[in-house]
Amino acid sequence: MKRTLGIGLAVVLLVGVVTAIVLGQGGDTAQLQTVRGVIGSEKLAFFADQRVKDVFAKHGLEVEVDPAGSRQIATTADLDSYDFAFPSSAPAAEKIQRDRKAARTYAPFSSPMVIATFDPIVDLLAKVGVVKSGPGYPTFDVQAYLGLAAQGTRWDQLSGNTSYPARKNLLVTTTDPRDSNSAAMYLAITSFVANGGVVTSADGEARVLPAVSKLFLDQGYTQSSTEGPFEDYLSAGMGKTPLVLAYEAQFVDRVVRGDSSIRPDMKLLYPAPTVLSKHTLVPLRAAGDRVGELLTGDAELGRLAATFGFRTADPRHFDDVVKNLAVPRTIVDVVEPPAHETLERMLEAIAKQY
């Protein structure tokens, strides 16, 4: 009887050891520390990727995220239940850091704002001085564009235009400035050019608002997420959206994945000047700080971010991904956006005109 009991006990212990080993090898989620963050929606696919989850799990973390607009994260989101906030712009992160008295921020990846368009539109705009040959890549001269927009120029008024004689204003399609970070970045670009530098004062705001407001209001209906007009660009083509403001990462991500919706006649123009959408993480607790450290310093996470089209803290990751793509390795003409409060006042002033 004693011998039988001893054998049974040994079997139970052996099963327990094997189970512990299997669970340990499989990354038992019960042993992971859950970290919660609120993020700009552009990064949702990155955090949902199983490869990204596996890297965090190797470091003992299970990262759960909720998407929100960057302006919403900075102004109205309840951040008390999160370990980190990760908006898609530096001005929004600046406000969060100040309000929450965070010791540091992390900027693990970024994406320049671009104009997605088509070959016939590039040719048309080159003839009127809006598209130019830049330092190794085609640029969209914002000053020249603002001159045409101020005159209310229609496409069919361009001399010799037989490829796109549309009876609508020559305007870049953007998102709604009341909701979207990309629209705020567009305002940062156009206000810089209209002001001759970063807007820093009430006088500067008053000076540029009449011109930059028209760029939004004259479009009519605009969508709240950057995915909306970019999907129109991919599916509806030149007829509906000849010029679309986008994040470079949106285009690069599609090309890297071999998406058939990217056709040979589709091209990227880089506004001169442009701004970087700096995806900036603000740690709200120690666990969030750890996520920022990993996103910035872990090579595997950097490589994965690059596959989603993001320019990473280590530029080699992005360079490796786009080595066969016609995108510049370095963007030369980059300016800083206004401070968060200045940008918000201008956005609010435009919103009141709708």
Side-chain angles (χ1 to χ4, degrees):
M1 181 67 179
K2 288 182 179 179
R3 186 170 179 274
T4 303
L5 181 60
I7 293 173
L9 182 59
V11 170
V12 170
L13 289 173
L14 180 60
V15 171
V17 170
V18 172
T19 302
I21 292 173
V22 171
L23 286 176
Q25 290 176 341
D28 181 13
T29 56
Q31 298 176 359
L32 300 179
Q33 179 184 8
T34 300
V35 188
R36 299 193 67 237
V38 56
I39 66 169
S41 57
E42 301 84 1
K43 296 179 287 292
L44 189 58
F46 170 77
F47 278 97
D49 190 281
Q50 189 58 50
R51 297 168 299 170
V52 173
K53 295 182 180 213
D54 290 344
V55 175
F56 280 123
K58 285 198 302 187
H59 293 279
L61 302 179
E62 181 178 18
V63 180
E64 298 179 351
V65 295
D66 294 325
S70 294
R71 293 183 67 199
Q72 180 186 356
I73 296 173
T75 55
T76 61
D78 180 9
L79 299 181
D80 290 338
S81 59
Y82 294 107
D83 298 296
F84 66 90
F86 200 1
S88 302
S89 74
E94 168 201 337
K95 182 178 189 304
I96 297 167
Q97 182 184 19
R98 187 172 60 248
D99 291 350
R100 308 292 295 201
K101 297 181 172 54
R104 65 183 62 81
T105 62
Y106 298 90
F109 35 79
S110 63
S111 185
M113 305 309 301
V114 296
I115 307 292
T117 187
F118 303 85
D119 280 334
I121 301 299
V122 171
D123 294 339
L124 274 176
L125 294 183
K127 292 175 182 176
V128 294
V130 174
V131 172
K132 297 179 178 177
S133 297
Y137 53 91
T139 61
F140 182 88
D141 189 317
V142 178
Q143 184 74 63
Y145 163 68
L146 291 182
L148 291 175
Q151 299 169 28
T153 305
R154 297 197 317 262
W155 287 99
D156 63 348
Q157 294 173 329
L158 297 180
S159 178
N161 176 7
T162 58
S163 56
Y164 189 69
R167 288 179 290 183
K168 60 182 180 180
N169 285 8
L170 196 163
L171 291 170
V172 174
T173 299
T174 73
T175 46
D176 193 322
R178 294 168 292 186
D179 302 309
S180 171
N181 177 67
S182 64
M185 294 297 96
Y186 183 62
L187 176 58
I189 295 169
T190 53
S191 65
F192 180 97
V193 174
N195 188 54
V198 178
V199 177
T200 59
S201 66
D203 288 343
E205 294 170 29
R207 184 165 51 252
V208 304
L209 274 169
V212 297
S213 296
K214 282 177 59 63
L215 302 175
F216 295 102
L217 299 171
D218 288 356
Q219 292 181 56
Y221 169 74
T222 50
Q223 301 183 65
S224 60
S225 168
T226 315
E227 282 301 316
F230 190 68
E231 286 296 330
D232 287 344
Y233 166 75
L234 296 175
S235 59
M238 187 171 70
K240 186 176 189 300
T241 49
L243 296 169
V244 180
L245 182 77
Y247 297 105
E248 179 193 59
Q250 290 177 285
F251 194 97
V252 172
D253 171 50
R254 298 270 184 162
V255 175
V256 169
R257 288 192 284 113
D259 192 322
S260 60
S261 60
I262 299 292
R263 302 188 302 275
D265 66 328
M266 293 177 166
K267 294 293 182 291
L268 289 187
L269 299 173
Y270 289 79
T274 191
V275 296
L276 291 180
S277 177
K278 294 180 182 176
H279 297 262
T280 307
L281 186 147
V282 184
L284 306 175
R285 298 189 183 93
D289 196 67
R290 181 64 178 141
V291 172
E293 289 176 347
L294 289 172
L295 286 172
T296 305
D298 186 272
E300 195 169 356
L301 286 175
R303 284 192 292 270
L304 289 171
T307 66
F308 284 87
F310 294 114
R311 293 177 181 257
T312 53
D314 184 341
R316 291 175 297 180
H317 301 318
F318 183 78
D319 290 348
D320 286 344
V321 167
V322 302
K323 56 189 173 185
N324 296 321
L325 305 183
V327 296
R329 301 302 186 266
T330 303
I331 310 296
V332 176
D333 198 355
V334 178
V335 298
E336 292 297 324
H340 180 268
E341 288 75 11
T342 301
L343 200 55
E344 282 296 308
R345 280 195 300 269
M346 289 194 290
L347 289 167
E348 290 296 331
I350 294 170
K352 289 177 181 177
Q353 300 178 59
Y354 275 84

